[in-house]
Amino acid sequence: MGDSLSGEYSTEGQSDREEIVSHLGSPATLDACSRSSPATSMTPTSPVDDDDPQASVLCNCHGRATHQDKLDGERSLLDLGNYIPVGSLRMRWQGDTPARGSWKEVTDWSYLVLDNQETLRQSVMKLARAGWIRAFCRRASAFQSDVAVTVRIWILPDDVGRGILQRSDRSLRRCLKALLCEVDVCKSSWAATYSETYAPKHIIDETDDKSLSSLYYLYNTMPSPKPDPHWVHDRFVQAAMSDLLDGDGFIDGLKTSLYPYQCRSAALMLQKESMPKFQLDPRLHPTISANGSVYYFDYQSGDILREPRLYEEVRGGILAETMGLGKTLICLATILASKGYWPRIPIEHSEDLTPVRERVGSLQDMAASAIGRHSVPWKTHFERLSSFGDDYSQCIERIKKNVGSYMIRPPQATLRKSRATVATHGRRIRLCTSTLIIVPPNLLQQWKNEIYKHTEDGALRVLVMDSPKKGLPPSEELAEYDVVLFSRTRFEREIRDGEDAKGRRAPLGKQLKCFCPYIPGTREKDCDCFRPEEVYNSPLKELHWLRLIVDEGHNFASSGSKSHAVLVAADLQTDSRWIISGTPTKGLIGVEVELAANEHSKPDHEQSSNEVTNLSPARRKATLELRNNSDAWRQERSDVEKLGRLAIDFFKISPWVSSRRDGAPPAWNTYMYQSYRDTKDHGFKGYSACLKRTLEGLIIRHSPEDVEADLKLPPLYNQLIHLEPSFYDRLSINLFVLVLTSNAITSERRDEDYLFHPKNKKSLNQLIANLRQSGFYWTGFSRNDVEAALQISKDYLAKESTKLDMHDRQALEDIIVVGDLVLDSSGWNAFSRFHELGIFLQHWPGGNAQEWALDGKGMADPLLMGMTQLCSAQNYVNNQLYASDPSDGLAKEGWSAMYAANHQASTERVVKGTKMKGVPKSSLAQEPTDTHRKMSTGTLEGIKSHQESSHGKGLSNGDLSSSQNLKSALKRSRPPGPEALIPADSPVGQTIICGTASAKLSYLIDKILSLHKQEKILVFYEGDNVAWYIAQALDLLHIKHLIYAKSLKSERRSQYVVTFNTTETFRVLLMDVHQASHGLNMSSASRVFFVNAIWQPNVEAQAIKRAHRIGQARPVYVETLILKGTLEEKMLQRRKAMSTVEHQNAEKSLLDDKPMTSIIQSAKLLPVSPEDMEGPRQMASLHTPQQVFGRPNRNGALIDDPDADLIDIHGESPPTRKKRAKATRTLDFDQTLGSESRPMETNNDERTLSDSDNIIYIPPPARTKSSADKGKKKVARFAVLDPDPMELDAGNQPAAESSRGPSWGTF
């Protein structure tokens, strides 16, 4: 037959496959695939050589085969057109030399030999005998006495002849996989024209894609969404998509204009919900056969298909837009665009839906029933008609009575004669148009605020379920809401479905009988048996929801046992499912977010047109190319597994759900990597195209370039601020170096006494954590600790048997000198005893400095005092500034303050002794917390009182609707009154703070004082004691602040975020860097400070993105404070030099990085001098000394209760009739259990409050000194302020209609 059979065979494997897959997605192709039969859709198209002996067999390739009956099945196997020419084998012929140029079907395999591959030859023989393959040979070239031949392999696809051949034989399947692994697919090999030096090309090489070396690279190079309304058959959804894509970003009910990228994301969400594409089974690889046709190859199972196997894409996916780009707004736009749309009845439950009536129904009844069964979106249609004045109430009522529903039947119970088996009933599921949203508890209030901010009054009916004690309304009432907003903790409570009050469940299929005895003398049983009527049935599971949205849903992929939230979500009936997360897994993070943590200095000329920020396209591209390698594949395995858990457990994506087997790992993990060989044995060859197609069908995300074309965020500048450590900073850090050095030398760096021994890792981690905190301030060491460590070093040096090299001897002598210097420092001894942060002052009034001096040196200049004692002195003097001598009695007050401090120190439990050689136990414990300090609302003492206050009990949304439960939104600490002036000649007015014992605190004070009036400030910290010290300094300076700490309840955290973002009262927010969780919006702050160097770049980037996000109107300046020459400076240098793999390996602890461990082991002492112990050289000076007594705004800083000046997100006290401001807007919350809201009557700017109103109180303005205002009565207002105009200038713009007076409605 010659070369005429070879046809055109392209080796452009990857590009061809991508073109095939894209072609499969077109509607015309899908329709054609659905009409074609498995054996007839693709046939060879090459011409046939008439001289070929097999032409009579092969000529059938050109005719279209028809469907064969089972009786004629064997004849169909003779048709070579039903086989696929996959490739060839190079073998040797032993026997008569075949004629050159002719093809001969191989029937006797005894003449064919495969060098060193006898097993493969036996496998080919088995497949040929079983009819799975057919083979044809032809002479290629001669070698000595043997003859080289090319054997063409034609394989019968699995979707042909299944009723005739047994295709489930595992032995034959293994043989087929072995053959496919070795078959040569090159065109020259197929034509038998290869040379002796030719290297064969295998099918497995065809599936390789060298660009898939990094999951990070793959995630960041995904194509941006491209929705197409023509894909959608539903005209209502098509119109909604067109409105999003063709309009100006306005949606009915949405008062915020969307950016174009947000419109595209929302439109694609609608498209995936309404008409998901049919995609090729991701396990199949489209491959070009030898005659140019396409077949589909599963390299794991060895299946070969002629026809594509298609699956419907998931209805939903992961909205993974970068943090801060408005994912919540996109979700709200999707909800409003599809408001009133109904979910579809699942096909598997669509039997027997047509009602059978006793008599012919009316046309109205039949129409209403059809509307319900076919999920016609009638609500918006009738609302539009009713707006013209027509009455359609009867039609609406009739449709509501005929809402679509279906029955889910329970699993069939096994009937046994020996048991009384009870048949269980199914559950009736009712369709509803509601969206179920699950959010983390700390983001619940933020979602409520976003709904109010972006939606018009009455556009959405929202039910908020935030309290575990709050019960759900019945399913009929629940279905009336547009949105049901759950906190995750409340959502998890629905795991009680099917349980009674004691957590018992009814046994499946068993009849319940009670054998409990009667109560003596009565006819009542003493019974505690399970009663079906007492079982809780969750209303959530009685409805088929339009969609389920899980904010920050990456937590649904947690390893180990499934959480209650995952189990409850798995049992819900939903039309579509969405996860909202900018980081679907830990490793899937946008390159722009990662670059936010990189240092970059702002140019001197701020208005320069050549400014370059961290997020420049050139820097992104360079970072991506650097990450496009396979170094991190072992760390990325966990990301691949988490994606699999989301795909299987939450999205239930086919075919992954159906491929699971009990006791075996999911098939997901084996298909995500190139090659069907075991990656553990053969190494990583790259990710498979299967993973790429799955991600593209699951994730919605825009590239940074496409976002920047629509939106330009303010620039981001990130700087390292290198500070000279103060004398006490150097002492604290040197003590840790003393411990490390003494332990290493005296333990001779061996056995368990050595701190770096593997068994001491936990203790070493705590010591390093304490060492890092000492970069800000540390008082954890006691005098006894230092003396004990020094004595061990001195004794070791004094031993005659000690053998030390010169380096170790010198190191021990140096730490002994430094240790003695520490013990001689009166300031350090005072800090260690009282655990106070030192403040240095000048010009102390009244000649009573001795009573206040922390170190007992009242004559020193500057005077050293503790922060707590200075706050007491300040309060004392400020309270009697009206007196002729405000400092009168200050000496007695100082004696009392120091007596209290000494009493606290004497009763404090001190950790003493050493755990290992030279290692004091206190260095391995956390720093003592000064619980005796009294601070303001935002401080840690206030936090504790918050948790115990009645406010923490939580009030429901329905409680807000009652006029008896309203409370002022801003509860003032004390009405600001006239502040007493300090006489010009008073000594108290001359007292100033000139420095502190912490270099970082001094710098932070200067920056906050210079910035807090113009900008809001975020300060990220690690360690509660750091927050203590900063909060005390802010209290001393009368700067109102809040602390977002891990000890807060989620409700209080939400309250702090709302207060900080919406009021001007609090200018500084201190936040634990590990609590800067996904989703928090702190765009009101434009200054960010890190007081500790952060080891994990992703943690730092997440914290920065709290401020640098959509809605930010100012440039964001980030400063990380670093002490020169210290461990944290070297730590950041090491972090910058680390690769991604090294970062992932050392994510939990910096000790997991060997170079960093070596840096710690070789830590050196910082230079200190005895001359630095006295005078100004011992402190970190303030750039601008600060007045202590009679500071401005001191009255406003007085705190009466922990709720002072906080936005009340629940409300408790009743209001009275108030006037409404023109620039405000009011919300009406529904009763929690679904009571209908009452109409509100308005008369210009006045309205009467009804019991169902939710009015938020705005306090009256402060009294002004203007003569025009004299005598005017201050009036309080009840309203919610419109969004900050400064924020709206840079963020999303409200629609013009939103400013046209009030619009009362339901939220």
Side-chain angles (χ1 to χ4, degrees):
M1 185 173 61
D3 295 341
S4 59
L5 255 180
S6 62
E8 294 297 328
Y9 178 36
S10 172
T11 57
E12 303 289 334
Q14 180 62 25
S15 60
D16 288 342
R17 279 194 300 275
E18 291 180 354
E19 183 178 353
I20 293 165
V21 173
S22 62
H23 178 63
L24 282 172
S26 67
T29 303
L30 296 180
D31 294 340
C33 290
S34 63
R35 294 191 300 267
S36 61
S37 62
T40 62
S41 62
M42 294 182 182
T43 58
T45 59
S46 304
V48 179
D49 190 346
D50 294 336
D51 297 331
D52 195 306
Q54 298 296 330
S56 60
V57 177
L58 299 177
C59 64
N60 290 328
C61 296
H62 304 285
R64 176 173 294 275
T66 59
H67 177 69
Q68 300 294 325
D69 296 329
K70 190 172 182 181
L71 296 177
D72 299 330
E74 295 182 0
R75 293 180 57 189
S76 68
L77 297 182
L78 298 177
D79 185 357
L80 200 58
N82 290 330
Y83 289 77
I84 298 174
V86 295
S88 60
L89 292 175
R90 294 165 57 179
M91 304 181 74
R92 288 188 298 112
W93 183 278
Q94 290 183 340
D96 296 336
T97 303
R100 185 182 298 275
S102 62
W103 290 95
K104 179 181 179 181
E105 183 167 9
V106 179
T107 57
D108 187 356
W109 290 87
S110 60
Y111 296 102
L112 292 171
V113 177
L114 270 172
D115 293 333
N116 302 320
Q117 297 191 48
E118 179 61 24
T119 304
L120 176 61
R121 191 178 75 89
Q122 295 293 332
S123 298
V124 175
M125 291 171 58
K126 290 181 181 179
L127 293 170
R129 293 193 189 105
W132 286 30
I133 69 171
R134 294 179 67 177
F136 297 85
C137 68
R138 172 184 168 181
R139 179 180 172 184
S141 59
F143 295 91
Q144 298 178 4
S145 61
D146 298 331
V147 175
V149 297
T150 294
V151 179
R152 289 179 172 179
I153 303 297
W154 298 67
I155 297 181
L156 184 69
D158 287 271
D159 50 358
V160 176
R162 295 195 65 90
I164 305 153
L165 295 179
Q166 177 58 260
R167 307 306 298 268
S168 60
D169 190 304
R170 295 185 179 181
S171 175
L172 291 175
R173 186 63 61 182
R174 286 193 295 268
C175 293
L176 182 60
K177 290 175 65 176
L179 172 61
L180 292 171
C181 185
E182 299 297 335
V183 70
D184 188 353
V185 297
C186 183
K187 180 170 63 174
S188 61
S189 179
W190 179 262
T193 59
Y194 56 86
S195 63
E196 294 183 40
T197 58
Y198 166 75
K201 185 175 182 62
H202 302 298
I203 294 180
I204 194 63
D205 299 326
E206 283 287 299
T207 63
D208 290 343
D209 184 354
K210 304 304 180 184
S211 65
L212 298 178
S213 299
S214 167
L215 183 63
Y216 176 88
Y217 182 86
L218 176 61
Y219 176 74
N220 279 281
T221 55
M222 289 178 54
S224 296
K226 295 180 180 179
D228 185 1
H230 297 95
W231 265 97
V232 180
H233 295 166
D234 190 319
R235 62 186 180 91
F236 299 101
V237 178
Q238 193 176 69
M241 292 179 62
S242 299
D243 290 341
L244 282 166
L245 299 174
D246 302 334
D248 298 327
F250 292 101
I251 298 294
D252 289 341
L254 193 69
K255 62 182 181 182
T256 303
S257 175
L258 300 176
Y259 290 106
Y261 77 88
Q262 293 173 326
C263 292
R264 292 192 294 271
S265 293
L268 186 58
M269 290 177 70
L270 291 175
Q271 178 178 320
K272 288 176 67 65
E273 290 180 349
S274 176
M275 193 70 180
K277 293 182 180 179
F278 280 89
Q279 65 173 359
L280 179 67
D281 185 341
R283 297 172 296 179
L284 298 178
H285 289 261
T287 308
I288 308 298
S289 69
N291 61 11
S293 62
V294 181
Y295 68 95
Y296 303 89
F297 171 46
D298 184 340
Y299 59 79
Q300 284 291 340
S301 65
D303 291 347
I304 290 184
L305 303 177
R306 183 181 294 278
E307 285 295 316
R309 186 166 57 209
L310 304 177
Y311 286 101
E312 186 180 79
E313 283 186 352
V314 60
R315 291 181 182 268
I318 301 175
L319 180 60
E321 299 288 6
T322 301
M323 289 173 288
L325 293 185
K327 293 187 291 293
T328 303
L329 179 57
I330 294 173
C331 291
L332 294 177
T334 305
I335 293 171
L336 285 168
S338 59
K339 181 182 176 182
Y341 290 10
W342 294 85
R344 304 158 189 80
I345 296 177
I347 296 177
E348 60 270 23
H349 303 298
S350 59
E351 298 179 359
D352 303 328
L353 292 180
T354 304
V356 178
R357 307 176 188 272
E358 296 181 358
R359 59 180 183 178
V360 178
S362 66
L363 182 60
Q364 195 177 54
D365 287 334
M366 289 190 289
S369 177
I371 288 173
R373 292 197 310 274
H374 296 285
S375 303
V376 178
W378 55 267
K379 289 187 176 181
T380 53
H381 178 71
F382 281 110
E383 287 177 0
R384 184 169 60 253
L385 293 179
S386 299
S387 63
F388 296 110
D390 298 328
D391 183 16
Y392 292 93
S393 58
Q394 291 185 1
C395 296
I396 294 174
E397 288 300 320
R398 198 66 60 94
I399 294 175
K400 286 183 177 180
K401 293 180 180 179
N402 289 273
V403 171
S405 64
Y406 58 92
M407 178 71 72
I408 295 182
R409 305 192 183 281
Q412 190 68 29
T414 303
L415 298 178
R416 298 183 181 179
K417 295 181 179 180
S418 59
R419 299 183 182 178
T421 306
V422 178
T424 54
H425 301 285
R427 175 173 284 187
R428 172 65 63 177
I429 305 297
R430 182 175 183 268
L431 303 184
C432 73
T433 60
S434 305
T435 296
L436 183 61
I437 303 178
I438 306 167
V439 302
N442 62 322
L443 299 182
L444 183 72
Q445 185 60 37
Q446 184 167 296
W447 266 85
K448 291 167 62 177
N449 294 341
E450 292 293 301
I451 293 173
Y452 169 75
K453 177 181 177 181
H454 297 298
T455 62
E456 296 177 355
D457 297 337
L460 291 175
R461 293 197 64 197
V462 180
L463 173 64
V464 179
M465 299 298 298
D466 53 355
S467 173
K469 299 180 181 179
K470 188 185 299 183
L472 279 169
S475 59
E476 295 81 6
E477 195 171 334
L478 196 61
E480 296 297 320
Y481 290 94
D482 299 307
V483 173
V484 179
L485 183 61
F486 267 92
S487 68
R488 178 165 174 170
T489 52
R490 175 61 185 86
F491 181 73
E492 288 177 337
R493 292 279 295 164
E494 296 306 301
I495 195 68
R496 299 173 298 136
D497 178 72
E499 295 180 354
D500 64 3
K502 296 185 178 181
R504 298 175 297 186
R505 293 180 178 271
L508 182 63
K510 291 184 180 180
Q511 187 174 6
L512 300 176
K513 293 184 180 180
C514 178
F515 300 98
C516 297
Y518 287 93
I519 300 175
T522 69
R523 287 183 172 271
E524 297 181 2
K525 283 191 173 185
D526 186 9
C527 179
D528 193 28
C529 294
F530 177 85
R531 292 184 175 86
E533 61 272 14
E534 296 179 357
V535 168
Y536 172 71
N537 294 313
S538 174
L540 296 182
K541 298 184 180 181
E542 297 175 2
L543 297 173
H544 188 113
W545 301 86
L546 179 62
R547 68 175 61 86
L548 169 64
I549 295 177
V550 182
D551 193 12
E552 303 305 334
H554 52 268
N555 295 323
F556 273 47
S558 59
S559 58
S561 59
K562 299 178 184 178
S563 66
H564 286 174
V566 176
L567 294 174
V568 174
D571 289 339
L572 294 181
Q573 305 300 318
T574 60
D575 215 39
S576 58
R577 293 170 177 250
W578 292 97
I579 280 178
I580 313 300
S581 177
T583 54
T585 66
K586 188 177 295 184
L588 294 185
I589 184 171
V591 61
E592 65 277 13
V593 177
E594 181 177 306
L595 289 175
N598 289 356
E599 179 188 4
H600 173 70
S601 299
K602 180 176 173 59
D604 295 333
H605 304 287
E606 294 192 358
Q607 303 301 324
S608 172
S609 59
N610 297 324
E611 289 185 1
V612 179
T613 70
N614 282 337
L615 307 181
S616 63
R619 185 169 298 185
R620 287 197 300 263
K621 183 178 180 180
T623 302
L624 281 177
E625 293 302 325
L626 188 64
R627 293 286 298 273
N628 187 20
N629 58 69
S630 58
D631 294 340
W633 78 272
R634 287 185 174 86
Q635 289 70 32
E636 291 177 344
R637 275 188 302 187
S638 61
D639 296 319
V640 174
E641 292 172 0
K642 288 182 178 179
L643 285 173
R645 284 194 287 271
L646 288 176
I648 296 170
D649 297 331
F650 182 76
F651 292 111
K652 303 178 181 179
I653 301 177
S654 296
W656 310 114
V657 173
S658 58
S659 64
R660 300 190 71 176
R661 296 291 184 270
D662 293 337
W668 171 277
N669 293 329
T670 59
Y671 279 94
M672 295 300 112
Y673 302 93
Q674 290 180 12
S675 172
Y676 48 77
R677 299 180 176 92
D678 189 355
T679 56
K680 295 181 180 178
D681 297 335
H682 297 271
F684 177 71
K685 296 181 179 296
Y687 295 104
S688 67
C690 174
L691 175 61
K692 181 178 180 179
R693 291 198 299 269
T694 302
L695 289 181
E696 290 177 354
L698 188 64
I699 294 177
I700 296 178
R701 183 179 186 274
H702 278 83
S703 66
E705 293 76 15
D706 290 334
V707 173
E708 289 172 354
D710 303 329
L711 165 69
K712 185 172 180 60
L713 288 175
L716 170 68
Y717 305 104
N718 192 346
Q719 300 181 41
L720 294 180
I721 305 299
H722 296 266
L723 303 173
E724 196 66 41
S726 70
F727 171 72
Y728 293 105
D729 289 333
R730 296 196 295 270
L731 289 188
S732 297
I733 295 171
N734 281 345
L735 284 177
F736 282 98
V737 177
L738 182 153
V739 171
L740 292 170
T741 304
S742 175
N743 171 260
I745 297 175
T746 58
S747 67
E748 299 178 355
R749 298 179 179 87
R750 63 184 183 184
D751 300 331
E752 295 184 22
D753 275 340
Y754 185 37
L755 195 55
F756 287 86
H757 189 275
K759 291 187 177 180
N760 298 325
K761 187 173 182 179
K762 182 178 180 181
S763 299
L764 181 59
N765 274 321
Q766 184 60 55
L767 184 141
I768 299 303
N770 295 342
L771 171 58
R772 293 178 60 191
Q773 285 198 38
S774 69
F776 184 86
Y777 194 69
W778 180 262
T779 63
F781 285 107
S782 67
R783 183 181 179 87
N784 293 334
D785 290 338
V786 180
E787 290 175 344
L790 288 177
Q791 191 61 46
I792 290 175
S793 299
K794 292 175 181 178
D795 294 343
Y796 190 77
L797 277 176
K799 284 184 180 180
E800 296 181 358
S801 59
T802 301
K803 296 181 180 180
L804 289 174
D805 57 28
M806 293 300 297
H807 179 272
D808 284 352
R809 180 176 294 277
Q810 185 62 47
L812 278 182
E813 291 175 353
D814 290 343
I815 65 173
I816 290 173
V817 172
V818 169
D820 291 337
L821 180 64
V822 171
L823 296 176
D824 291 340
S825 170
S826 59
W828 180 88
N829 280 279
F831 299 152
S832 175
R833 173 174 173 76
F834 300 114
H835 301 296
E836 286 287 346
L837 194 148
I839 299 294
F840 294 90
L841 302 102
Q842 291 179 331
H843 313 305
W844 187 258
N848 49 54
Q850 184 65 36
E851 283 76 7
W852 289 96
L854 193 69
D855 57 354
K857 297 181 179 181
M859 301 300 295
D861 185 26
L863 174 67
L864 174 60
M865 288 184 62
M867 184 77 78
T868 305
Q869 291 73 40
L870 182 57
C871 288
S872 299
Q874 185 188 59
N875 291 335
Y876 180 82
V877 173
N878 285 346
N879 286 333
Q880 54 183 23
L881 286 178
Y882 58 88
S884 57
D885 183 9
S887 63
D888 185 28
L890 194 58
K892 183 178 180 181
E893 185 68 17
W895 184 89
S896 299
M898 291 307 300
Y899 176 82
N902 278 284
H903 176 72
Q904 177 71 21
S906 62
T907 58
E908 184 180 79
R909 182 181 177 183
V910 179
V911 181
K912 297 181 179 180
T914 59
K915 184 175 182 179
M916 290 163 278
K917 288 187 177 181
V919 182
K921 288 184 178 179
S922 61
S923 67
L924 307 179
Q926 295 183 354
E927 185 180 15
T929 301
D930 298 338
T931 55
H932 63 285
R933 303 175 186 174
K934 182 178 181 180
M935 293 185 290
S936 66
T937 302
T939 57
L940 298 182
E941 181 178 337
I943 290 172
K944 187 174 181 180
S945 64
H946 291 339
Q947 294 176 340
E948 298 172 355
S949 68
S950 60
H951 183 82
K953 65 186 179 181
L955 295 173
S956 69
N957 221 12
D959 297 328
L960 279 174
S961 302
S962 173
S963 62
Q964 288 143 3
N965 289 325
L966 291 171
K967 183 181 178 182
S968 64
L970 290 175
K971 184 174 181 180
R972 293 301 298 250
S973 54
R974 185 175 296 177
E979 295 181 343
L981 300 177
I982 300 177
D985 57 346
S986 175
V988 297
Q990 308 302 317
T991 305
I992 59 172
I993 303 172
C994 55
T996 74
S998 168
K1000 290 184 179 181
L1001 182 62
S1002 295
Y1003 178 85
L1004 198 60
I1005 288 175
D1006 283 328
K1007 295 295 287 187
I1008 290 177
L1009 285 170
S1010 64
L1011 296 171
H1012 79 282
K1013 292 183 179 179
Q1014 296 82 27
E1015 302 181 64
K1016 288 190 177 182
I1017 301 168
L1018 277 176
V1019 179
F1020 290 104
Y1021 66 87
E1022 285 185 298
D1024 287 344
N1025 279 287
V1026 175
W1028 274 102
Y1029 299 134
I1030 300 175
Q1032 275 195 309
L1034 295 178
D1035 281 343
L1036 187 67
L1037 300 171
H1038 304 327
I1039 298 175
K1040 302 209 68 175
H1041 59 279
L1042 298 166
I1043 300 182
Y1044 193 99
K1046 60 185 177 182
S1047 57
L1048 284 174
K1049 292 183 178 179
S1050 58
E1051 181 184 351
R1052 179 61 66 164
R1053 295 180 194 176
S1054 299
Q1055 189 178 23
Y1056 280 5
V1057 171
V1058 173
T1059 301
F1060 182 74
N1061 282 331
T1062 57
T1063 72
E1064 297 299 317
T1065 307
F1066 296 94
R1067 308 297 297 173
V1068 181
L1069 179 68
L1070 310 181
M1071 179 176 284
D1072 188 328
V1073 69
H1074 297 289
Q1075 300 301 311
S1077 60
H1078 308 269
L1080 279 179
N1081 185 349
M1082 311 298 298
S1083 58
S1084 60
S1086 55
R1087 294 282 177 167
V1088 179
F1089 293 93
F1090 291 91
V1091 296
N1092 300 101
I1094 308 301
W1095 172 247
Q1096 303 98 330
N1098 288 350
V1099 173
E1100 181 178 347
Q1102 288 277 358
I1104 292 173
K1105 293 303 288 185
R1106 299 309 106 217
H1108 190 247
R1109 58 196 301 119
I1110 194 170
Q1112 178 58 258
R1114 301 171 179 265
V1116 177
Y1117 296 86
V1118 181
E1119 295 184 8
T1120 301
L1121 309 186
I1122 303 296
L1123 296 183
K1124 294 180 181 178
T1126 61
L1127 176 67
E1128 62 181 1
E1129 185 179 48
K1130 297 178 180 178
M1131 182 189 80
L1132 283 184
Q1133 292 173 355
R1134 170 58 189 158
R1135 191 190 88 168
K1136 188 175 182 179
M1138 290 171 66
S1139 66
T1140 304
V1141 176
E1142 291 173 322
H1143 273 301
Q1144 292 172 340
N1145 289 333
E1147 184 178 18
K1148 294 182 179 179
S1149 170
L1150 52 82
L1151 293 173
D1152 293 331
D1153 180 58
K1154 291 183 179 180
M1156 191 66 229
T1157 302
S1158 300
I1159 292 173
I1160 297 172
Q1161 290 173 326
S1162 58
K1164 304 297 182 183
L1165 293 168
L1166 299 177
V1168 289
S1169 171
E1171 289 78 13
D1172 295 338
M1173 286 195 297
E1174 304 293 338
R1177 298 178 62 179
Q1178 63 182 316
M1179 68 178 181
S1181 300
L1182 291 178
H1183 184 268
T1184 304
Q1186 295 298 315
Q1187 179 182 345
V1188 177
F1189 305 113
R1191 292 183 62 84
N1193 302 321
R1194 58 185 179 275
N1195 288 351
L1198 298 177
I1199 302 299
D1200 289 334
D1201 63 72
D1203 286 339
D1205 291 323
L1206 297 179
I1207 291 289
D1208 182 13
I1209 60 177
H1210 289 298
E1212 291 175 351
S1213 58
T1216 57
R1217 175 184 289 186
K1218 300 293 178 182
K1219 288 189 176 182
R1220 181 185 146 279
K1222 292 183 179 179
T1224 61
R1225 188 174 300 277
T1226 307
L1227 300 176
D1228 169 32
F1229 285 78
D1230 272 355
Q1231 292 284 350
T1232 301
L1233 298 183
S1235 63
E1236 297 183 357
S1237 59
R1238 306 180 186 179
M1240 302 184 181
E1241 299 179 359
T1242 61
N1243 181 15
N1244 295 331
D1245 285 345
E1246 284 195 37
R1247 55 185 289 267
T1248 303
L1249 302 178
S1250 64
D1251 292 342
S1252 64
D1253 295 346
N1254 172 41
I1255 307 301
I1256 299 180
Y1257 174 78
I1258 298 178
R1263 189 183 302 276
T1264 62
K1265 296 182 180 180
S1266 171
S1267 59
D1269 294 333
K1270 190 174 295 184
K1272 287 188 176 180
K1273 182 179 180 180
K1274 294 186 293 182
V1275 179
R1277 299 177 298 167
F1278 289 83
V1280 175
L1281 289 175
D1282 277 338
D1284 184 6
M1286 183 179 296
E1287 177 181 342
L1288 295 177
D1289 287 342
N1292 295 294
Q1293 300 295 329
E1297 290 81 5
S1298 63
S1299 60
R1300 300 177 185 173
S1303 59
W1304 310 100
T1306 303
F1307 174 57

